[in-house]
Amino acid sequence: MPENQQYTEDNIRTLSGVQHIRMRPGMYIGRLGNGNNPSDGIYVLLKEIIDNCIDEFSMGFGKQVTVDISEDGHVSVRDYGRGIPLGSVVKAMSVLNTGGKFDDKAFKKSVGLNGVGSKAVNALSEEFMVRSHRDGLCHWAKFSKGELVEEKEEPTREKNGTFISFYPDREMFGDFAFNMDYVETMVKNYSYLKKGLSLILNGVTYKSENGLLDLVNENLSEEPLYPPIHLEGEDIEIVLSHGNAYGENISSFVNGQNTRDGGTHLAAYREAIAKTLKDFFKKNYAPEDCRQGVVGAISIQIQEPKFESQTKIKLGSMYLWEKNGDVGPTIRSFVNDFVAKALDDYLTIHKEIVPVIEDKIKSSQQEREEISGIQKKTRERNKKASVYNKKLRDCRYHYNDKVTDRTSDEIKESIDNSSIFITEGDSASGTITKARNANYQAVFSLRGKPINCYKESRKRVAENEELNLLVSALGIEDDLEELRYNQIIVATDADDDGMHIRMLVLTFFMKYYPDLIRRGHVHILQTPLFRVRNKKENCYCYDQGEKEKAVSRLKSGVEITRFKGLGEISSSEFADFIGEGMRLDLVKLAEEESISEIMEFYMGDNTVERQKFIRANLRSEEELEDVNI
């Protein structure tokens, strides 16, 4: 056996907690990223620190949290809670599985439970400082990349509480920047969920008096059919209304944590809405008809919640509490029981909204029955013609498929990375198919331009072969919760036709499946526009600025190629663009934006305003022409 393949005691390593966090950051913060996506790690770092402040407030200590983020990315967070016990400041910030959240008497129904969050922030920061103020004394400590640099205890006149500042490590996060829209949304959500708490972000105060009702009212993008219903109970708060948009728009929270991907509490709430309305009207309405157009929110408080990952965006707990082998009521029964009584009582008193809700259910039922028959015939016709298999080149691992020979790491990889590229034409789909990682990347090939869903009737859309097959490939024919891929990636050419196809696909999602966008599943693939090379090096550039820098660096003998289509890029080159360093633009929809107004602007009749927008934002072809130097 060659020496470099020997396996001895020298190969066995023991990593400290900090070293392990830096080597495997994905286990602790989900992903790195540069701040372009709300799921990027820098926002997880910020959230972990604020969560600790929120837990102090939940226990009755401190009514104000101050957050400051400078333009260069330095973060500071100050609360006015009890402060960390002075003798444990360093340990609490640097030793894994150490913290006060393991003691139910000190913290109840908190978000952070595993003694990991603040340590991960410390380990992944170039600079990290903590100051704990308690009863006239301050213990402070400075760290760099998780390693203690200096600590000291001294008198202080400041109020009790904790101050933490950090600067994310550019070695880990690259040239990052905080998107303050994402941060503002995070801070607003905290204020909605913690009535009476003031959060001050860069000098602006956020405070809610009406909890989740404020959240829903302030984020309504369309006028609801009736004023939102707001119901509160012990450890549960819900808001409910209906609108005319397709799909469901329900925000969910656990112990103040925004569970973007839902979980057991959201599933229970969706079930409870349908069951309660069916029982109230004493008619066997289909659940999807009862929930069509629902807008609302749910927040629950439970003991020691279990999330499906360290980033805490999906609740996995089945019970309200679990301790020493004993369990409390199921979350499903808790939510169902509350909604059944509270919503029934509300509808009994507010009789004026009852016919509004039933009319909405009946109209949804009528449309669904008409459309489902058309869709069924279209799919049967496509399957008989074997069109489905020609259009979808699936991956080996994806959501909801029962493959018994997968390891836990493979399953996690498939869940986190499972992707489907939506592209157009044989050339582009062939390139991506050859370059992809077939374990978790699928390819769906469109034939020509899809139908413009905004201009056409629902019946015409239902008859469309391309979109029916796309829905089947995604697995969302019956329920969005059955989505088979975490990332839906629109990959089109960087020309007029490619941009138009992209808009048509996004219009389809925006109109009929807006929750795919709200939950952060829909992305646009960035592909390089230029290849700049000399005899020694190839450099791929995504915009004019990158091209100019590459030309300046590579100097003489430079050849520049302008890529106009995905099919022009070889599969060996393309593999670099859809691997770990894949550049994705998240498709975002601000809650207050009107979907109908957005679609009218981009996909409605040609207007002077749209023409001005295109002229102002479209790069000229001359700017992107091939150049040889």
Side-chain angles (χ1 to χ4, degrees):
M1 178 182 290
E3 183 178 347
N4 62 358
Q5 293 184 19
Q6 290 182 352
Y7 179 53
T8 69
E9 284 81 3
D10 294 335
N11 299 113
I12 306 300
R13 299 176 60 195
T14 300
L15 299 178
S16 71
V18 169
Q19 290 174 316
H20 193 268
I21 292 171
R22 291 184 62 81
M23 181 173 287
R24 299 284 186 268
M27 291 181 61
Y28 300 91
I29 63 169
R31 57 187 286 171
L32 291 171
N34 63 1
N36 287 338
N37 190 299
S39 297
D40 285 349
I42 59 172
Y43 303 109
V44 178
L45 302 187
L46 174 61
K47 186 184 72 62
E48 291 289 357
I49 299 303
I50 298 179
D51 279 348
N52 291 333
C53 305
I54 299 301
D55 288 340
E56 280 292 309
F57 173 79
S58 297
M59 291 299 295
F61 300 95
K63 295 182 178 180
Q64 178 179 307
V65 176
T66 302
V67 181
D68 290 295
I69 301 178
S70 65
E71 290 187 4
D72 64 357
H74 279 85
V75 178
S76 66
V77 181
R78 171 72 154 101
D79 71 30
Y80 295 89
R82 291 165 289 185
I84 303 167
L86 300 184
S88 300
V89 169
V90 171
K91 187 166 62 172
M93 294 294 117
S94 59
V95 180
L96 285 181
N97 304 314
T98 302
K101 310 294 175 67
F102 298 108
D103 185 349
D104 289 344
K105 296 178 182 178
F107 290 93
K108 296 179 180 179
K109 299 173 183 175
S110 64
V111 176
L113 293 169
N114 300 316
V116 172
S118 56
K119 290 79 167 175
V121 182
N122 187 359
L124 299 174
S125 296
E126 288 182 28
E127 306 165 11
F128 183 95
M129 182 175 186
V130 54
R131 295 202 300 261
S132 178
H133 303 277
R134 284 177 72 112
D135 304 325
L137 288 177
C138 171
H139 192 115
W140 58 262
K142 293 181 181 178
F143 299 80
S144 177
K145 300 179 181 179
E147 300 293 341
L148 181 64
V149 174
E150 185 181 4
E151 68 171 314
K152 189 176 181 180
E153 190 166 303
E154 56 192 12
T156 181
R157 292 185 176 181
E158 289 203 31
K159 294 180 180 179
N160 285 0
T162 303
F163 171 91
I164 286 179
S165 67
F166 66 92
Y167 184 68
D169 188 357
R170 290 192 182 274
E171 182 182 323
M172 307 297 293
F173 297 98
D175 189 19
F176 72 87
F178 283 93
N179 183 320
M180 293 309 294
D181 288 340
Y182 298 156
V183 177
E184 182 183 12
T185 297
M186 181 193 302
V187 169
K188 279 184 175 180
N189 284 341
Y190 281 122
S191 71
Y192 296 135
L193 293 159
K194 298 296 177 182
K195 288 184 288 186
L197 173 65
S198 295
L199 295 110
I200 304 173
L201 173 62
N202 286 355
V204 179
T205 300
Y206 298 89
K207 186 175 182 179
S208 172
E209 300 297 336
N210 302 301
L212 286 189
L213 182 61
D214 286 343
L215 181 150
V216 172
N217 279 329
E218 292 180 22
N219 291 331
L220 283 172
S221 59
E222 317 286 348
E223 189 69 25
L225 298 177
Y226 54 90
I229 300 168
H230 185 208
L231 303 171
E232 295 182 87
E234 185 176 355
D235 293 333
I236 185 169
E237 179 181 3
I238 66 168
V239 178
L240 173 68
S241 188
H242 282 81
N244 284 318
Y246 287 94
E248 304 167 25
N249 183 11
I250 305 175
S251 302
S252 63
F253 303 87
V254 175
N255 293 10
Q257 165 64 34
N258 183 1
T259 44
R260 192 193 69 200
D261 284 352
T264 51
H265 60 318
L266 178 58
Y269 186 36
R270 295 175 70 240
E271 176 187 356
I273 292 171
K275 186 176 185 304
T276 302
L277 292 178
K278 286 167 61 178
D279 291 345
F280 183 85
F281 292 115
K282 296 180 173 58
K283 294 178 183 177
N284 192 28
Y285 290 127
E288 56 266 40
D289 296 327
C290 295
R291 295 193 300 261
Q292 183 66 271
V294 158
V295 57
I298 178 172
S299 172
I300 66 171
Q301 305 286 322
I302 65 175
Q303 292 276 5
E304 301 192 14
K306 295 179 181 177
F307 299 97
E308 293 194 2
S309 69
Q310 176 60 22
T311 53
K312 307 182 182 79
I313 59 174
K314 187 172 185 179
L315 181 67
S317 299
M318 300 299 294
Y319 304 96
L320 291 181
W321 53 266
E322 298 180 59
K323 193 171 184 66
N324 300 325
D326 294 330
V327 297
T330 65
I331 290 173
R332 180 185 180 189
S333 64
F334 171 68
V335 173
N336 266 280
D337 290 347
F338 173 76
V339 174
K341 185 177 189 312
L343 182 55
D344 186 278
D345 289 347
Y346 187 94
L347 295 177
T348 301
I349 296 170
H350 299 83
K351 293 182 172 59
E352 69 279 4
I353 69 171
V354 170
V356 178
I357 296 176
E358 188 161 27
D359 284 347
K360 172 61 179 176
I361 295 173
K362 287 179 178 179
S363 65
S364 297
Q365 179 185 42
Q366 182 178 349
E367 183 181 50
R368 178 183 56 81
E369 290 174 349
E370 179 183 355
I371 298 306
S372 62
I374 297 172
Q375 290 175 325
K376 184 177 180 181
K377 290 179 181 178
T378 303
R379 288 170 186 146
E380 287 176 352
R381 183 176 68 248
N382 291 336
K383 288 179 180 179
K384 286 180 182 178
S386 298
V387 177
Y388 183 81
N389 291 333
K390 294 177 183 177
K391 300 186 73 63
L392 176 66
R393 297 169 176 87
D394 213 345
C395 57
R396 296 191 184 100
Y397 306 116
H398 45 61
Y399 288 160
N400 305 316
D401 283 353
K402 298 178 181 178
V403 181
T404 57
D405 60 347
R406 288 183 287 175
T407 67
S408 58
D409 287 343
E410 287 175 325
I411 293 172
K412 185 179 185 303
E413 181 183 50
S414 73
I415 291 174
D416 293 343
N417 298 319
S418 59
S419 308
I420 183 168
F421 295 95
I422 302 173
T423 190
E424 189 273 329
D426 294 336
S427 178
S429 63
T431 298
I432 297 179
T433 300
K434 292 176 183 176
R436 66 174 175 153
N437 184 325
N439 278 337
Y440 50 80
Q441 291 180 329
V443 182
F444 184 89
S445 178
L446 293 168
R447 185 182 63 196
K449 293 183 179 179
I451 190 173
N452 185 342
C453 298
Y454 179 66
K455 291 185 174 182
E456 297 292 349
S457 68
R458 182 74 176 97
K459 181 179 179 182
R460 283 271 289 128
V461 174
E463 293 171 338
N464 185 262
E465 174 186 288
E466 299 291 310
L467 297 178
N468 264 289
L469 292 173
L470 176 58
V471 168
S472 295
L474 296 175
I476 54 176
E477 296 160 287
D478 300 318
D479 197 318
L480 218 61
E481 301 301 318
E482 301 300 317
L483 178 66
R484 299 169 72 229
Y485 309 95
N486 189 33
Q487 295 179 321
I488 301 168
I489 303 170
V490 183
T492 58
D493 292 340
D495 58 16
D496 291 347
D497 281 342
M499 297 302 107
H500 192 207
I501 292 169
R502 175 191 298 178
M503 288 303 302
L504 291 169
V505 173
L506 295 182
T507 298
F508 173 65
F509 288 141
M510 194 176 297
K511 184 168 184 178
Y512 295 113
Y513 300 97
D515 243 21
L516 289 177
I517 296 175
R518 292 191 184 102
R519 294 186 184 184
H521 291 298
V522 183
H523 306 262
I524 294 169
L525 176 67
Q526 288 188 34
T527 53
L529 293 175
F530 306 99
R531 180 180 59 212
V532 180
R533 65 182 178 186
N534 58 21
K535 293 182 179 180
K536 296 182 179 179
E537 184 180 349
N538 283 345
C539 184
Y540 298 98
C541 309
Y542 289 76
D543 57 36
Q544 188 78 6
E546 289 187 14
K547 184 196 76 171
E548 291 172 358
K549 289 180 182 178
V551 170
S552 176
R553 183 172 62 83
L554 297 181
K555 298 180 180 178
S556 61
V558 173
E559 176 188 280
I560 303 174
T561 301
R562 157 78 163 107
F563 296 121
K564 295 187 178 181
L566 303 183
E568 293 180 344
I569 306 175
S570 70
S571 56
S572 58
E573 288 177 301
F574 209 88
D576 294 331
F577 312 138
I578 59 174
E580 289 187 7
M582 178 166 55
R583 296 196 193 186
L584 297 175
D585 288 330
L586 177 69
V587 179
K588 302 185 290 290
L589 180 65
E591 293 294 341
E592 67 275 7
E593 290 183 316
S594 168
I595 292 176
S596 60
E597 290 178 5
I598 292 173
M599 290 192 294
E600 173 61 33
F601 180 81
Y602 287 105
M603 306 306 293
D605 294 333
N606 199 11
T607 63
V608 174
E609 289 76 14
R610 186 168 64 186
Q611 291 173 17
K612 290 179 180 178
F613 174 83
I614 292 172
R615 291 193 186 103
N617 289 276
L618 186 65
R619 289 172 291 186
S620 67
E621 191 61 31
E622 290 79 6
E623 183 185 29
L624 301 176
E625 281 297 324
D626 292 4
V627 181
N628 288 282
I629 298 177

